[in-house]
Amino acid sequence: MRLFAKDKNGHFIREVNGIKLPFPLTEFMKVRFVGYAFSAILMAISLFFIVTKGFNWGLDFTGGVVFDTHFSQPADLEKIRGTLNQNGIASPIVQTTGSVQDVMIRLPADNNDSAIGDHVKSMLQTIDPNIHINSIEFVGPNVGEELAQGAVYATLATLAMMLIYVGSRFEWRLGFGGIASLAHDVVITLGVFSALQVEMDLTFVAAILSVVGYSINDSIVVFDRVRENFRKIRRVETIDIIDISLTQTLSRTIMTSLTTLLVVIALFFFGGPSIHNFSLALLIGIGFGTYSSIFIAIAIAYDIGLRREHMIPPKVDKEVDDLP
């Protein structure tokens, strides 16, 4: 399996038809079946965990109790979580809402009873005697079910709109490849969350939609370069055009992905518990999104028949058009 193409003299190919490449020509399409096999294994494992273990739904989907509180001094979120855990309340979600004194506390559905308000207030008063409870809201499971359905519909609608956009902007084969790569990224991210039983809330949905947008943007950069090279480079096979285009965009893909992942890694380790799951979903999705835009999206488009004539508009005979 050779990654870099060489000429007959054994030199790495760095120029094709006068077009200079930033790297030696990388023959991505020759290893696409390895990518297919790797992705198939990952998706099979992901689907196995999704079916057998399901998901650890958060309060946004299962319901619970939400406290809107105001502390008289900057709140210590770790101390609040520790106090609640010590008093028998498991898995509380504690996060600030706008200022360091305004804190939202969300408790699981098994704490949904009329006495929970006084119970929580007495616990919080041990931390800050002057705490003020602005409101207490009880979220039922029906509301959580509606949110879950809305999240699914939002993701499916996003995929559908992406398919329509890419199919109309480029070519339906590219649209199909792009959507297949997006589904690949989403399924693997869901599989990791299912396997680790990481809590899924509405921030996870936001992360999935962010991954979809990031991944399709990466694929569109490749698609656009493929279309451009079909028009510029003649007497070259389709598979070589794709390899040239991927090699040309490789530096952009690497730099964009690395800088994005550095920020996401910082959020993951230093962003705090409130965005931990959000950053984890981005970390997984963006990593596999970069991989799929190279080895899945354009490769599938090629294998279902993408050719030069599909990307170049037909010539119009002006003399025929001018006839009355």
Side-chain angles (χ1 to χ4, degrees):
M1 182 173 62
R2 188 175 64 177
L3 289 180
F4 298 104
K6 295 182 179 181
D7 58 22
K8 60 183 180 181
N9 297 319
H11 300 134
F12 288 116
I13 297 175
R14 295 294 299 268
E15 184 174 332
V16 179
N17 287 17
I19 297 178
K20 294 183 179 180
L21 304 176
F23 300 102
L25 178 61
T26 308
E27 297 179 309
F28 290 102
M29 291 298 98
K30 286 192 175 181
V31 297
R32 68 187 185 280
F33 293 109
V34 176
Y36 288 163
F38 177 65
S39 294
I41 293 171
L42 288 180
M43 291 188 69
I45 294 173
S46 298
L47 291 172
F48 171 79
F49 282 117
I50 291 171
V51 172
T52 57
K53 299 185 70 172
F55 299 110
N56 179 17
W57 298 107
L59 299 183
D60 292 327
F61 302 116
T62 60
V65 189
V66 180
F67 292 83
D68 182 13
T69 66
H70 178 78
F71 286 75
S72 61
Q73 54 191 352
D76 186 340
L77 301 186
E78 290 299 327
K79 189 174 182 180
I80 295 172
R81 293 190 189 95
T83 301
L84 293 173
N85 286 325
Q86 290 171 8
N87 287 272
I89 297 180
S91 304
I93 298 177
V94 183
Q95 59 192 65
T96 56
T97 56
S99 74
V100 294
Q101 293 175 271
D102 296 316
V103 177
M104 182 177 66
I105 301 172
R106 293 188 290 176
L107 308 181
D110 54 6
N111 296 287
N112 197 345
D113 61 71
S114 57
I116 190 64
D118 294 334
H119 184 45
V120 170
K121 184 175 181 179
S122 63
M123 284 186 284
L124 296 177
Q125 284 177 337
T126 62
I127 302 174
D128 183 357
N130 299 317
I131 188 175
H132 178 69
I133 306 293
N134 296 325
S135 65
I136 302 175
E137 297 180 2
F138 295 89
V139 181
N142 291 334
V143 176
E145 185 178 353
E146 291 177 3
L147 289 173
Q149 291 177 351
V152 172
Y153 293 152
T155 304
L156 292 178
T158 301
L159 293 176
M161 292 299 103
M162 292 292 184
L163 176 60
I164 294 172
Y165 168 75
V166 178
S168 60
R169 172 75 187 277
F170 295 96
E171 211 272 338
W172 72 265
R173 295 170 181 82
L174 292 176
F176 182 83
I179 295 305
S181 71
L182 293 183
H184 163 275
D185 303 337
V186 171
V187 169
I188 291 178
T189 305
L190 290 173
V192 173
F193 268 64
S194 177
L196 301 179
Q197 286 294 288
V198 179
E199 188 177 85
M200 296 175 62
D201 52 21
L202 287 179
T203 61
F204 174 81
V205 178
I208 287 295
L209 296 178
S210 300
V211 167
V212 167
Y214 183 93
S215 182
I216 197 64
N217 176 71
D218 223 14
S219 298
I220 285 174
V221 170
V222 176
F223 296 164
D224 194 55
R225 184 55 61 90
V226 169
R227 181 173 60 180
E228 179 183 336
N229 284 335
F230 270 133
R231 298 172 179 177
K232 290 170 60 177
I233 305 176
R234 302 291 180 176
R235 297 183 298 278
V236 175
E237 296 293 330
T238 299
I239 192 170
D240 297 321
I241 291 289
I242 294 174
D243 285 335
I244 292 168
S245 303
L246 287 170
T247 304
Q248 289 177 317
T249 58
L250 186 61
S251 57
R252 180 263 177 201
T253 300
I254 292 174
M255 292 304 298
T256 303
S257 299
L258 283 180
T259 52
T260 305
L261 287 174
L262 286 175
V263 175
V264 174
I265 290 171
L267 289 175
F268 180 78
F269 287 106
F270 307 111
S274 60
I275 61 171
H276 187 270
N277 295 348
F278 173 80
S279 54
L280 176 61
L282 285 180
L283 190 62
I284 299 167
I286 290 176
F288 281 101
T290 302
Y291 154 80
S292 67
S293 65
I294 297 174
F295 290 101
I296 303 298
I298 190 66
I300 288 178
Y302 172 73
D303 283 325
I304 62 176
L306 180 69
R307 297 296 180 265
R308 180 188 300 274
E309 55 268 21
H310 301 142
M311 302 293 290
I312 299 178
K315 293 183 178 180
V316 178
D317 191 339
K318 294 183 179 180
E319 294 182 0
V320 173
D321 288 346
D322 292 337
L323 292 176

